[in-house]
Amino acid sequence: MEHDITYYAKKRHTTKAYDADKKIPAETVEKLKELLRFSPSSVNSQPWHFIMASSPEGKERVTAGTDEKYPFNSPSIRNASHVVVFASRLHADDAFLNQLLEQEDKDGRYPTPENKEQTKGGRAFFVGLNQTTPEAEANWLAKQTYLNLGQFLLGAAALGLDATPMEGVDTEALDKEFGLREKGFASLAVVTVGYHDTEIDYNASLPKSRLPYSEILSEI
Ligand SMILES: Cc1cc2nc3c(=O)[nH]c(=O)nc-3n(C[C@H](O)[C@H](O)[C@H](O)COP(=O)(O)O)c2cc1C
């Protein structure tokens, strides 16, 4: 039976333990990559970079962000099939904005040179609004990367996978491990993906808890 997307929004849960023997099939990994690539972002800024680890060595490198300060997250990184580090650009400089524009041109989004100029101006306007300080800009760009993370979690569930979003990671340690700052990026969070251990993943059988509509929604 086919389910609508709300089924997966309610079915997904933060996995607390993985079955280390179960690996995500290659064609499903490709779909995970598509989710990362096709996320929306303000002015199509796509300010992200992802590190996807699937080998024991690669995953071990990601535990540089957990072993010391957040050891409770380490087993999931080691046992999950795939681990994704979400990193975000710190500054959208002119070269990057130009790269975006040229990509859109190549992808056929500009029937006329005027269309291209218009988008260039619109994007520069919104980016400028968020460049009041380097921190404000990095925060704005990080919000875009978090949107991607949200879509990724729902998408992974719809692909039949279990996942764990982790802010319990030492982002400074990850930045060092992967040389991210030198490249103009900072890590934000990690998401592990795979298949949960049906015996030890206690969160799978707990009921979901969410605030009621009366608290979170005003319909006018
Ligand atoms: C950005 C983000 C960071 C999180 N960090 C962690 C974490 O480090 N470790 C963990 O076990 N759960 C983490 N969680 C899971 C949340 O506790 C969980 O999403 C929340 O309790 C709702 O439960 P559910 O995901 O099972 O629906 C994180 C969730 C999000 C969205």
Side-chain angles (χ1 to χ4, degrees):
M1 175 185 147
E2 227 173 80
H3 298 290
D4 76 67
I5 199 71
T6 62
Y7 168 84
Y8 297 103
K10 289 185 276 186
K11 180 177 178 286
R12 62 148 295 284
H13 71 283
T14 290
T15 294
K16 301 290 179 180
Y18 286 85
D19 183 337
D21 296 328
K22 280 194 172 168
K23 303 294 175 204
I24 303 172
E27 63 271 23
T28 309
V29 173
E30 289 311 306
K31 291 181 185 189
L32 284 176
K33 291 190 209 168
E34 286 196 302
L35 284 171
L36 294 173
R37 187 165 172 235
F38 282 90
S39 167
S41 55
S42 182
V43 292
N44 205 17
S45 51
Q46 308 165 70
W48 40 65
H49 187 82
F50 310 101
I51 297 161
M52 186 181 261
S54 54
S55 65
E57 301 75 32
K59 290 187 264 180
E60 207 54 37
R61 288 185 68 187
V62 182
T63 60
T66 52
D67 275 353
E68 212 169 292
K69 291 193 183 164
Y70 306 93
F72 56 89
N73 277 331
S74 287
S76 288
I77 293 176
R78 291 198 168 89
N79 294 331
S81 171
H82 284 63
V83 177
V84 183
V85 177
F86 280 69
S88 196
R89 196 174 276 276
L90 295 165
H91 174 46
D93 59 17
D94 287 345
F96 180 62
L97 295 181
N98 207 46
Q99 185 187 342
L100 292 171
L101 194 70
E102 291 311 318
Q103 183 70 52
E104 288 162 345
D105 199 0
K106 207 174 114 201
D107 290 334
R109 291 193 53 89
Y110 300 124
T112 71
E114 290 74 33
N115 293 144
K116 190 174 173 180
E117 273 311 297
Q118 218 169 18
T119 296
K120 186 180 176 184
R123 181 180 287 128
F125 174 73
F126 276 102
V127 170
L129 286 182
N130 288 287
Q131 282 177 330
T132 47
T133 64
E135 291 72 28
E137 183 182 4
N139 276 334
W140 177 64
L141 295 171
K143 287 188 225 170
Q144 313 312 321
T145 304
Y146 262 86
L147 275 180
N148 191 312
L149 192 152
Q151 166 158 314
F152 187 69
L153 291 177
L154 182 58
L159 290 170
L161 303 172
D162 295 310
T164 313
M166 293 178 185
E167 276 180 336
V169 288
D170 180 345
T171 52
E172 261 181 56
L174 285 177
D175 292 352
K176 274 204 193 99
E177 177 65 32
F178 296 108
L180 287 167
R181 291 273 168 171
E182 299 88 292
K183 294 172 195 147
F185 288 84
S187 59
L188 298 178
V190 165
V191 179
T192 52
V193 203
Y195 301 93
H196 78 144
D197 183 310
T198 48
E199 266 159 46
I200 4 181
D201 179 20
Y202 61 88
N203 208 26
S205 55
L206 285 173
K208 277 238 177 290
S209 173
R210 294 295 192 264
L211 294 171
Y213 286 123
S214 58
E215 180 71 24
I216 65 154
L217 180 69
S218 300
E219 290 185 284
I220 56 168

